[in-house]
């Protein structure tokens, strides 16, 4: 009889989850962006299952993170906009891995404790243990984008501690130390590293990375209107500086994994919570239904089971699918509360992509509009080929993403 696709409880993989903030899918070398300096991610893509149509169905930080932690859509888990506290309805991601005997760890931005008053009062607050949803090792903070002067809380100590220098590098160093200490332990580990860049402010990467783009010409996407091109060029120089710094962070992290001897038996997931319009379509930030906002990089590597040869998977994967897919790959039962799909067999190449599959889009445009009522400005669907979205205020949108990749013809 053939061996089972995924391991039993006797041999489960480690999981290293790398989440970055506001990194759009197009901004990598392997995706064809000539501006991006991403040699590490380009190598990782060559060894990974690359979900080329990964989608952030609710392209805002907290709703996406709530979906990752619960396997549910925002209308189910309740975090429909930033700073709404997550109150899971069912076992959360960290709790599921901890219950299966994993040593769990979380480093970096959390953004799920929320601020019930609507005034972001908890963004610097200590996060109590019962609001960490199963993560044991803890060096995290709620939300800060002051990358060169940010703090964290360690374990149950309510005293904030400063990260040294550019926080993404300091957080990566801590993750490398965690990997080194846990990789040879009997129990597997699940480490979630949540980095703040390349989210704005854009001009705050270390100077050596900013120097890479100081005078460099920037190739703009065709859907940047003429009147936005100057601002887009300035913003993108800072954006790609952050990206170059993070690529080196991933390089150091993968090197630590190799040195530990655990790389073959570790699932590595690299992805982002949403993208960034960066003046495409004349728009800023996220919360919009166009690809620059909703499409994210999604690389999944597991050498022991998936091999070392990369494959491109066209079927969309959405945030609620991540929890069941990781649990499936680890051989852990998926809670009944999960709404997403287990795509682990698709990642392994044992099933074919469904050409009819689509990812739901449910996007609030303003924080005040969504807070308290859960109402979305845009609702629709993105498949591998089409984007179909309706807006309560503007026109309905239909794009053929194959013939119109910059979504310029409705």
């Amino acid at each position: 009889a053939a061996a089972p696709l995924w391991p039993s409880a006797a041999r489960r993989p480690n999981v290293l989850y790398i989440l970055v903030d506001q990194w759009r899918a197009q901004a990598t070398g392997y995706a064809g962006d000539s501006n991006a300096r991403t040699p590490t991610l380009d190598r990782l893509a060559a060894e990974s299952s690359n979900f080329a149509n990964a989608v952030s169905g609710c392209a805002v930080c907290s709703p996406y993170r709530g979906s990752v932690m619960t396997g549910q859509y925002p209308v189910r888990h309740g975090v429909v906009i930033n700073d709404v506290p997550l109150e899971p309805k069912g076992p959360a991601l960290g709790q599921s891995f901890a219950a299966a005997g994993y040593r769990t760890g979380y480093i970096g931005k959390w953004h799920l404790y929320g601020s019930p008053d609507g005034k972001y009062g908890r963004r610097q607050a200590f996060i109590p243990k019962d609001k960490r949803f199963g993560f044991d090792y803890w060096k995290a903070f709620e939300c800060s984008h002051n990358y060169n002067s940010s703090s964290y809380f360690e374990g149950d100590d309510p005293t904030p501690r400063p990260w040294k220098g550019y926080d993404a590098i300091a957080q990566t160093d801590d993750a490398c130390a965690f990997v080194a200490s846990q990789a040879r332990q009997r129990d597997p580990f699940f480490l979630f590293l949540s980095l703040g860049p390349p989210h704005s402010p854009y001009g705050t990467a270390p100077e050596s990375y900013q120097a890479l783009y100081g005078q460099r010409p920037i190739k703009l996407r065709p859907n940047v209107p003429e009147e936005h091109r100057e601002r887009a060029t300035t913003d993108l120089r800072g954006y790609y500086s952050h990206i170059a710094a993070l690529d080196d962070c991933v390089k150091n992290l993968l090197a630590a994994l190799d040195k530990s001897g655990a790389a073959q038996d570790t699932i590595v997931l690299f992805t982002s919570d949403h993208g960034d319009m960066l003046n495409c379509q004349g728009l800023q930030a996220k919360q919009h239904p166009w690809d620059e906002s909703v499409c994210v990089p999604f690389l999944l590597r597991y050498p022991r089971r998936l091999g070392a040869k990369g494959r491109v998977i066209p079927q969309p994967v959405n945030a609620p699918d991540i929890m069941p897919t990781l649990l499936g790959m680890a051989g852990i039962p998926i809670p009944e509360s999960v709404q997403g799909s287990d795509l682990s067999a698709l990642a392994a190449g044992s099933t074919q992509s469904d050409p009819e599959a689509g990812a739901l889009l449910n996007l609030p445009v303003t924080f005040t509009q969504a807070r308290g009522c859960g109402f979305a400005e845009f609702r629709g669907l993105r498949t591998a080929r089409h984007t179909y979205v309706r807006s309560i205020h503007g026109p309905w949108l239909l794009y053929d993403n194959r013939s119109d990749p910059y979504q310029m013809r409705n």
Side-chain angles (χ1 to χ4, degrees):
L5 178 62
W6 303 115
S8 66
R11 184 185 178 91
R12 284 179 173 159
N14 305 307
V15 180
L16 176 57
Y17 193 133
I18 308 168
L19 180 68
V20 293
D21 195 343
Q22 208 156 293
W23 189 324
R24 61 191 189 185
Q26 303 86 8
T28 61
Y30 69 82
D33 189 337
S34 60
N35 300 312
R37 176 192 173 277
T38 57
T40 302
L41 291 181
D42 298 346
R43 290 193 298 270
L44 183 63
E47 302 169 351
S48 301
S49 294
N50 172 11
F51 284 80
N53 290 291
V55 165
S56 176
C58 188
V60 192
C61 295
S62 297
Y64 175 93
R65 291 160 192 265
S67 292
V68 168
M69 293 299 164
T70 63
Q72 300 169 354
Y73 290 93
V75 291
R76 173 70 62 85
H77 63 64
V79 184
V80 297
I81 200 65
N82 278 352
D83 295 271
V84 174
L86 176 64
E87 299 177 358
K89 301 171 179 66
L93 180 66
Q95 292 166 332
S96 296
F97 275 93
Y102 276 70
R103 173 74 195 282
T104 58
Y106 196 99
I107 301 169
K109 177 184 174 181
W110 181 242
H111 214 175
L112 288 170
Y113 188 36
S115 298
D117 62 2
K119 299 178 181 178
Y120 314 126
R122 283 185 177 175
R123 285 199 168 188
Q124 304 300 320
F126 172 73
I127 301 164
K129 191 169 186 176
D130 65 333
K131 298 299 183 181
R132 302 173 199 165
F133 311 132
F135 290 101
D136 181 24
Y137 182 88
W138 184 261
K139 287 191 176 180
F141 57 97
E142 176 67 356
C143 181
S144 171
H145 292 291
N146 187 356
Y147 305 127
N148 295 291
S149 183
S150 68
S151 301
Y152 66 95
F153 296 98
E154 182 172 3
D156 296 328
D157 184 353
T159 305
R161 308 182 185 201
W163 289 112
K164 183 179 179 180
Y166 187 66
D167 62 9
I169 293 176
Q171 291 158 13
T172 299
D173 289 345
D174 197 76
C176 290
F178 180 96
V179 167
S181 68
Q182 296 297 317
R184 297 190 183 278
Q185 300 298 317
R186 180 176 179 178
D187 293 332
F189 68 80
F190 180 102
L191 178 62
F192 200 117
L193 175 62
S194 175
L195 303 176
H199 191 292
S200 57
Y202 302 120
T204 58
E207 291 184 3
S208 60
Y209 294 101
Q210 293 193 56
L212 297 173
Y213 290 92
Q215 301 299 322
R216 177 175 170 175
I218 298 295
K219 183 178 180 180
L220 300 180
R221 292 170 70 80
N223 57 7
V224 177
E226 182 64 35
E227 63 270 23
H228 291 263
R229 295 177 72 84
E230 182 176 354
R231 178 178 178 180
T233 299
T234 299
D235 288 347
L236 285 167
R237 285 194 172 117
Y239 188 69
Y240 287 117
S241 300
H242 280 312
I243 282 174
L246 293 188
D247 190 79
D248 280 349
C249 288
V250 177
K251 177 182 177 181
N252 293 340
L253 195 51
L254 296 181
L257 194 58
D258 288 338
K259 186 177 180 180
S260 75
Q264 286 292 310
D265 292 303
T266 299
I267 297 168
V268 174
L269 172 59
F270 176 86
T271 190
S272 178
D273 55 358
H274 51 74
D276 192 335
M277 293 302 295
L278 282 161
N279 301 280
C280 292
Q281 312 288 354
L283 298 169
Q284 298 295 320
K286 55 272 187 183
Q287 300 164 252
H288 301 289
W290 288 272
D291 276 4
E292 291 83 4
S293 168
V294 302
C295 290
V296 294
F298 196 100
L299 302 178
L300 190 62
R301 188 186 78 171
Y302 181 13
R304 180 73 67 189
R305 297 285 175 167
L306 304 184
K309 185 177 181 180
R311 61 175 63 86
V312 176
I313 298 172
Q315 182 169 321
V317 55
N318 204 347
D321 304 325
I322 297 174
M323 178 176 172
T325 299
L326 291 177
L327 292 174
M329 294 178 75
I332 300 172
I334 298 169
E336 293 183 0
S337 57
V338 166
Q339 293 181 293
S341 299
D342 176 4
L343 301 180
S344 58
L346 188 62
S350 60
T351 60
Q352 298 298 312
S353 291
D354 179 359
E356 302 299 325
L360 295 172
L361 304 178
N362 197 45
L363 298 139
V365 166
T366 66
F367 292 166
T368 54
Q369 176 197 66
R371 182 174 287 277
C373 64
F375 193 73
E377 170 85 7
F378 294 106
R379 294 186 182 185
L381 188 73
R382 192 192 187 284
T383 69
R385 180 165 182 177
H386 292 100
T387 296
Y388 178 60
V389 179
R390 69 174 179 87
S391 168
I392 61 169
H393 294 303
W396 290 32
L397 307 174
L398 175 63
Y399 297 106
D400 184 332
N401 301 320
R402 190 176 301 166
S403 64
D404 181 22
Y406 300 102
Q407 299 175 317
M408 300 175 71
R409 300 188 301 275
N410 181 8

